[in-house]
Amino acid sequence: MKLTVVGCSGSFPSVDSACSSYLVEADGFRLLLDMGNGALGELQRHCGLYDLDAIFLSHLHADHCIDMCGYFVARYYRHDGGRCAPMPVYGPEGTEHRLTTAYADTPSASSMSEVFDFHTVKPATFDIGPFTVRTERVAHPVEAYGIRVEHGGRTLTYSGDTGVCVQLDELAAGADLFLCEAAFTAGKEEIPDLHLNGREAGGVARRAGVGRLLLTHIPPWTDPDVNLQDAREVFRGPAELAVAGRTYTV
């Protein structure tokens, strides 16, 4: 599998990165994990607007889904080639309503579903194109899911947004690459069931026995080097910071 970090900033875009969005490719199939603020523009550096095959939205906070409104415009109002056929979009219950409300002026209440084929995510194992995926609800104030993506004997786990929870450990178990949020700083923010800090992300990686840890979703007000150092003190395997525009082989 090929992973491209389209955006990795948490909460709002930084000067260096759009918000959460990650392109996973295998066998010519392109699956996008999240499409936060600024991601749609950055995505076009890595693939064409109409080259995606499916989208997974971990949850419905703006920094993970709001650029779907712009993508709706690109797909619905495309004149060259006509309106796009519906593309699978996997998200929590209420995803279509959330996006329609955010856009606020779609031609009709069902316009989103004319270009997006919405599927409600629940804890389950299923296929998306060539990928076998497992989804589990994680610890966040809104309904949120982490995802385990498997292909060709290799595994990528993406935490989405979450606090410490057993479900995340299970999703990450033995993963070759663990793309894990680390929005908080140890000893500074202590809010349960919201986000992980670097030490907690490292702890999950250690318990799960992952091959490689990639920290992401670090807000502009947080020092990423501190979080990386904290993670490395707990997890002795390879660990680094996600970098917008960088590609990783899983």
Side-chain angles (χ1 to χ4, degrees):
M1 289 182 284
K2 175 183 174 183
L3 168 69
T4 301
V5 177
V6 178
C8 55
S9 184
S11 299
F12 58 92
S14 70
V15 296
D16 299 312
S17 177
C19 283
S20 290
S21 190
Y22 312 93
L23 181 63
V24 184
E25 301 174 76
D27 295 347
F29 191 95
R30 295 180 175 92
L31 168 64
L32 191 71
L33 308 179
D34 286 338
M35 192 185 281
N37 316 40
L40 183 59
E42 292 301 313
L43 177 66
Q44 294 171 73
R45 299 181 186 274
H46 308 290
C47 74
L49 270 177
Y50 308 108
D51 292 338
L52 290 179
D53 295 292
I55 296 174
F56 168 84
L57 300 177
S58 64
H59 65 293
L60 300 179
H61 280 154
D63 60 329
H64 291 258
C65 75
I66 202 62
D67 268 27
M68 290 291 292
C69 291
Y71 195 40
F72 163 76
V73 173
R75 295 183 67 84
Y76 190 89
Y77 293 105
R78 185 180 70 162
H79 295 292
D80 184 11
R83 184 175 300 166
C84 294
M87 182 185 67
V89 173
Y90 301 83
E93 187 171 356
T95 294
E96 180 179 4
H97 176 73
R98 173 74 171 90
L99 297 179
T100 300
T101 301
Y103 190 87
D105 192 28
T106 54
S108 75
S110 61
S111 294
M112 284 278 177
S113 62
E114 293 182 40
V115 292
F116 298 133
D117 179 19
F118 291 99
H119 299 260
T120 299
V121 172
K122 295 294 181 185
T125 299
F126 54 99
D127 292 335
I128 301 178
F131 305 110
T132 297
V133 306
R134 175 184 172 188
T135 53
E136 293 288 350
R137 187 163 180 176
V138 291
H140 204 53
V142 299
E143 186 176 359
Y145 292 87
I147 186 170
R148 180 182 178 97
V149 183
E150 299 182 3
H151 178 270
R154 306 290 287 178
T155 300
L156 161 70
T157 296
Y158 169 48
S159 67
D161 281 7
T162 182
V164 175
C165 61
V166 172
Q167 292 86 345
L168 183 59
D169 286 25
E170 293 174 349
L171 285 176
D176 297 288
L177 180 62
F178 182 31
L179 180 62
C180 185
E181 75 117 290
F184 283 168
T185 302
K188 180 182 177 183
E189 298 106 339
E190 302 291 344
I191 306 171
D193 299 334
L194 182 57
H195 290 295
L196 299 169
N197 60 43
R199 290 191 63 83
E200 290 168 335
V204 177
R206 185 193 67 234
R207 291 191 299 274
V210 307
R212 185 179 182 188
L213 173 63
L214 193 60
L215 297 183
T216 192
H217 196 271
I218 299 177
W221 58 65
T222 297
D223 185 339
D225 292 328
V226 170
N227 286 19
L228 179 59
Q229 179 179 343
D230 286 347
R232 285 175 170 170
E233 289 177 358
V234 178
F235 175 63
R236 299 303 182 183
E240 59 187 294
L241 298 169
V243 176
R246 189 165 294 177
T247 296
Y248 305 82
T249 300
V250 182

